[in-house]
């Protein structure tokens, strides 16, 4: 026998409908919250998004060390080619020269004497430094000799020497360089490299300078600071005339100390020689040179004696 189910009365049907109707606003109000919760990124995604920074520094060309560059550096998100130059045209021109990553062509191999000759040439031109407030064109191809008929600021060069010292420059509260937007930390400043032709000569006044820019600087390049590297190195990059400073002369030892204010800045490539003497390390023989990032990796893999 089939049990009959009592049909709801009109009052009961009304009560059910009223209950459903009363619950609809609450259900509808929960929909955005549920959807919002689902659409929100997971913690890992949020952390990654917060870490990533969009660079405003634009080199204007493919970086010479593009394959090993470091991404998401603070300085690349805060500092342009102009640095903190603002309306100071002289400082803007200087900063642009320091941030020149686009010198091309075959590097010219230069010598220690070339740095001294460049200094003598610049010192012999009246009004040269004063004129740099308006234009740096007077520094281009400034040296014209049989060996180097066209050599000056912006010329892509290679230089072989020993590292006397490598350190993070302008680090600390209230310091920092205009070109690097006055950031005070080591990640936001150059690595200042003192170069010498003789490791027995530890007087930086007899040496020359090269600078590793902080922009996109490869992480392994930072390991050069404090490294006891007693091998010749080959440095590639454009020449820059540091008119904000003067060389050592007549017993005067200004900072930074060097024989010439002409420097390689910024560095495009830094390589270590397979041999240990300058005589055996020919700048023109590429097979003798190991990129610094590879050198660091090889040293890390070698077993301790």
């Amino acid at each position: 026998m089939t049990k009959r189910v009592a049909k709801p009365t009109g009052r009961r049907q009304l009560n059910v409908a009223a209950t459903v109707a009363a619950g609809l606003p609450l259900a509808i109000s929960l929909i955005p919250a549920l959807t919002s919760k689902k659409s929100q990124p997971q913690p890992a995604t949020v952390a990654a998004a917060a870490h990533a920074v969009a660079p405003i520094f634009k080199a204007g060309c493919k970086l010479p060390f593009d394959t090993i560059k470091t991404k998401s550096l603070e300085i690349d998100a805060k500092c342009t080619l102009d640095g903190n130059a603002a309306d100071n045209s002289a400082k803007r021109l200087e900063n642009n020269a320091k941030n020149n990553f686009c010198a091309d062509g075959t590097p010219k191999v230069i010598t220690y004497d070339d740095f001294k000759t460049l200094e003598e040439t610049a010192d012999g031109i009246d009004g040269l430094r004063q004129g740099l407030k308006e234009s740096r064109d007077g520094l281009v191809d400034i040296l014209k000799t049989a060996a180097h008929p066209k050599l000056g600021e912006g010329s892509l060069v290679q230089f072989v020497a020993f590292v006397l010292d490598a350190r993070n420059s302008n680090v600390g509260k209230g310091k920092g360089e205009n070109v690097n937007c006055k950031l005070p930390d080591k990640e936001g400043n150059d690595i200042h490299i003192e170069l010498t032709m003789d490791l027995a000569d530890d007087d930086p006044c007899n040496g020359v300078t090269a600078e590793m820019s902080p922009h996109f600087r490869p992480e392994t390049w930072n390991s050069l600071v404090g490294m006891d590297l007693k091998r010749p190195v080959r440095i590639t990059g454009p020449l820059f005339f540091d008119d904000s400073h003067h060389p050592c002369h007549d017993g005067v030892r200004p900072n930074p100390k060097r024989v010439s204010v002409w420097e390689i800045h910024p560095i495009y490539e830094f390589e270590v020689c397979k041999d240990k003497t300058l005589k055996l390390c020919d700048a023109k023989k590429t097979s003798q040179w190991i990129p610094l990032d590879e050198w660091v990796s090889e040293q890390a893999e070698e077993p301790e004696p």
Side-chain angles (χ1 to χ4, degrees):
M1 181 176 177
T2 304
K3 188 176 180 180
R4 295 183 65 182
V5 178
K7 185 177 180 181
T9 65
R11 181 180 294 276
R12 186 178 177 188
Q13 287 178 328
L14 182 61
N15 289 342
V16 171
T19 302
V20 171
L24 279 175
L26 176 62
I28 292 171
S29 67
L30 289 174
I31 290 174
L34 292 171
T35 306
S36 175
K37 187 174 181 180
K38 280 187 174 182
S39 63
Q40 286 179 351
Q42 296 302 310
T45 307
V46 172
H51 177 71
V53 290
I56 63 171
F57 181 87
K58 305 295 182 183
C61 60
K62 185 176 181 179
L63 291 169
F65 46 85
D66 190 70
T67 57
I68 58 172
K69 70 181 179 183
T70 303
K71 299 178 182 178
S72 298
L73 291 176
E74 180 185 13
I75 187 168
D76 298 320
K78 291 184 174 181
C79 204
T80 69
L81 282 168
D82 294 343
N84 269 6
D87 295 331
N88 187 331
S89 59
K91 187 58 68 174
R92 183 170 61 254
L93 290 170
E94 179 185 277
N95 291 347
N96 288 175
K98 287 182 175 181
N99 284 324
N100 175 16
F101 288 95
C102 301
D104 56 11
T106 303
K108 301 174 182 178
V109 177
I110 62 173
T111 66
Y112 176 76
D113 286 339
D114 289 329
F115 279 98
K116 293 199 295 183
T117 304
L118 281 163
E119 184 66 37
E120 293 167 1
T121 302
D123 289 346
I125 301 176
D126 291 336
L128 175 67
R129 286 177 177 258
Q130 186 67 22
L132 298 181
K133 293 180 179 180
E134 303 296 332
S135 171
R136 299 184 73 87
D137 290 348
L139 296 168
V140 178
D141 299 339
I142 194 173
L143 183 60
K144 299 176 182 179
T145 64
H148 301 294
K150 292 183 179 181
L151 191 66
E153 186 167 273
S155 296
L156 186 62
V157 299
Q158 280 183 331
F159 179 58
V160 174
F162 290 103
V163 174
L164 180 63
D165 183 49
R167 61 183 180 274
N168 298 107
S169 61
N170 300 290
V171 174
K173 186 177 180 180
K175 296 186 178 180
E177 274 194 279
N178 187 289
V179 65
N180 297 323
C181 295
K182 291 290 185 177
L183 295 181
D185 58 342
K186 62 183 181 181
E187 292 80 10
N189 280 286
D190 298 337
I191 293 179
H192 179 87
I193 305 170
E194 295 174 355
L195 300 164
T196 180
M197 304 308 293
D198 184 357
L199 284 174
D201 183 0
D202 61 357
D203 186 353
C205 272
N206 296 327
V208 295
T209 299
E211 302 277 357
M212 279 182 177
S213 168
H215 286 291
F216 297 101
R217 187 164 61 218
E219 180 61 34
T220 49
W221 286 15
N222 293 320
S223 62
L224 181 66
V225 175
M227 183 185 294
D228 188 18
L229 187 60
K230 290 183 170 61
R231 289 172 179 265
V233 299
R234 182 173 73 167
I235 296 175
T236 305
L239 284 172
F240 167 73
F241 181 69
D242 185 5
D243 55 293
S244 296
H245 298 94
H246 293 274
C248 298
H249 63 93
D250 304 321
V252 179
R253 300 169 63 84
N255 284 318
K257 298 175 178 64
R258 58 262 185 94
V259 74
S260 171
V261 296
W262 287 87
E263 56 190 43
I264 298 178
H265 189 161
I267 290 175
Y268 287 6
E269 190 170 20
F270 191 101
E271 299 164 291
V272 181
C273 187
K274 294 178 180 179
D275 292 299
K276 295 184 178 182
T277 65
L278 286 174
K279 185 177 181 180
L280 294 175
C281 296
D282 189 339
K284 296 181 179 180
K285 292 184 178 179
T286 303
S287 60
Q288 290 184 308
W289 301 95
I290 305 171
L292 180 61
D293 59 299
E294 295 180 16
W295 172 264
V296 171
S297 298
E298 288 180 9
Q299 298 307 300
E301 292 172 1
E302 285 188 3
E304 293 185 7

